[in-house]
Amino acid sequence: MVRIALDPTPYNDSVHLLDFPELVARLGYEHVQLTPNPDFGRHFHYPKLDDAMIAELKKRAKDAGVTITSILPVQRISWPDELQREAAVRNMRRYIEVAAELGVPMINTEFSGRPEREEESEAGFYRSMDELLPVLEREGITLNIDPHPDDFVEDGLEAWRIIRGVNSRQVGFVYVASHTFHYGDRATTLLPEIGDRLGAVYTADSFDHNRSHGLRYISNPPGNTVRIHQHSAIGDGDVDWQELFGVLAKTGYLDRDDALIVSNVFGEDERADEVSKYQVQKIRELIDKARA
């Protein structure tokens, strides 16, 4: 059975971390992915959970009938400057321990390097993997990585090559649908290439910034290096959802016991309940149609 999880980021300012399991159950989900949150751990910071909070979070999840499928810490594991990279490794080590204590087998993250320092960032990434792989292997945790827009690698195929170069099944790929157009819009060829190393799929929509001769979005001054994408509800952008789920079915991902699809809409916090309920229903429809 495909697990459908909610990323509760839209609720970070209004709901305490310990109340997330009850929230996602009320919204129609059986699973949750924990993401950067003041009580969990902010981007690029050390995790803030102690043993007591971890135990209480596990209890709350069990009481709500909700499984914590994964956690998403964002750390500078590919940073070209060594002090920040060392801090990221220290932080990530603790996140791996937290995942193990929560009984969570999967960490999803980003490369978090710099595109203008691509060579140094890639070297930093492999140094970090040398340090983190023994911890991942000891705890039995898989680390999946998304080449996020404005990272040292954004193209999906090149990102997969870098992940493949780690030469460990403890490291896989996160396919984020709202990053499709930065990946190169190549789901039909990229996902078969990744194969069973695809660890998670995130579902949110985005407009194709390449359309209209690259003038769909205009930012000034011309030629600046901003990256633009959205995390909108399915159907509110240009992602080809029939194609994406068709490929997921063809490659066997939708038949895997460990398949994880995460709803991560961030752009409509004022309608978070409505959108979250819509997303889980729409994801189920897309799965059923792809399997038919």
Side-chain angles (χ1 to χ4, degrees), residues 92-236:
M92 191 64 85
R93 280 199 191 101
R94 177 56 184 155
Y95 274 113
I96 295 169
E97 294 172 356
V98 167
E101 291 169 18
L102 286 169
V104 173
M106 181 188 306
I107 295 176
N108 298 321
T109 191
E110 303 164 7
F111 281 106
S112 297
R114 293 304 312 143
E116 68 275 7
R117 299 175 67 181
E118 178 272 335
E119 183 178 354
E120 296 165 275
S121 295
E122 181 180 304
F125 169 72
Y126 285 121
R127 282 198 301 274
S128 294
M129 289 299 100
D130 286 343
E131 298 175 60
L132 291 173
L133 273 175
V135 189
L136 291 166
E137 291 168 353
R138 184 187 71 220
E139 301 294 353
I141 305 294
T142 300
L143 180 70
N144 301 307
I145 306 172
D146 158 45
H148 197 281
D150 198 43
D151 215 329
F152 81 90
V153 54
E154 298 173 283
D155 179 84
L157 180 56
E158 183 59 25
W160 164 237
R161 290 168 175 150
I162 291 169
I163 291 169
R164 187 177 61 202
V166 177
N167 195 28
S168 171
R169 296 193 65 83
Q170 299 295 134
V171 184
F173 195 103
V174 180
Y175 190 93
V176 182
S178 57
H179 301 166
T180 291
F181 306 109
H182 291 276
Y183 287 172
D185 195 13
R186 52 165 63 121
T188 56
T189 55
L190 175 61
L191 292 175
E193 179 93 6
I194 296 169
D196 64 359
R197 299 284 292 283
L198 178 63
V201 176
Y202 293 1
T203 52
D205 219 328
S206 185
F207 290 120
D208 184 355
H209 61 282
N210 299 303
R211 293 190 184 182
S212 299
H213 308 285
L215 296 175
R216 189 163 196 175
Y217 300 101
I218 297 174
S219 60
N220 291 309
N224 62 33
T225 58
V226 300
R227 309 302 202 269
I228 296 172
H229 72 286
Q230 297 82 26
H231 282 254
S232 301
I234 292 172
D236 287 350

Side-chain angles (χ1 to χ4, degrees), residues 17 34-51 53-54 57 71-75 86-99 101-102 107:
L17 173 67
L34 298 180
T35 55
N37 168 284
D39 288 299
F40 176 67
R42 294 180 292 141
H43 284 64
F44 315 128
H45 287 71
Y46 196 78
K48 299 304 189 288
L49 299 87
D50 60 9
D51 290 344
M53 179 171 274
I54 290 172
L57 182 57
I71 65 174
L72 168 61
V74 181
Q75 299 292 325
E86 288 178 355
V89 169
R90 180 177 65 247
N91 297 349
M92 191 64 85
R93 280 199 191 101
R94 177 56 184 155
Y95 274 113
I96 295 169
E97 294 172 356
V98 167
E101 291 169 18
L102 286 169
I107 295 176

Side-chain angles (χ1 to χ4, degrees), residues 257-279:
D257 292 337
D258 62 345
L260 175 63
I261 297 180
V262 180
S263 170
N264 66 335
V265 176
F266 303 149
E268 303 180 64
D269 287 5
E270 66 280 0
R271 299 194 306 124
D273 281 11
E274 176 187 347
V275 171
S276 297
K277 293 175 182 177
Y278 163 81
Q279 285 279 115

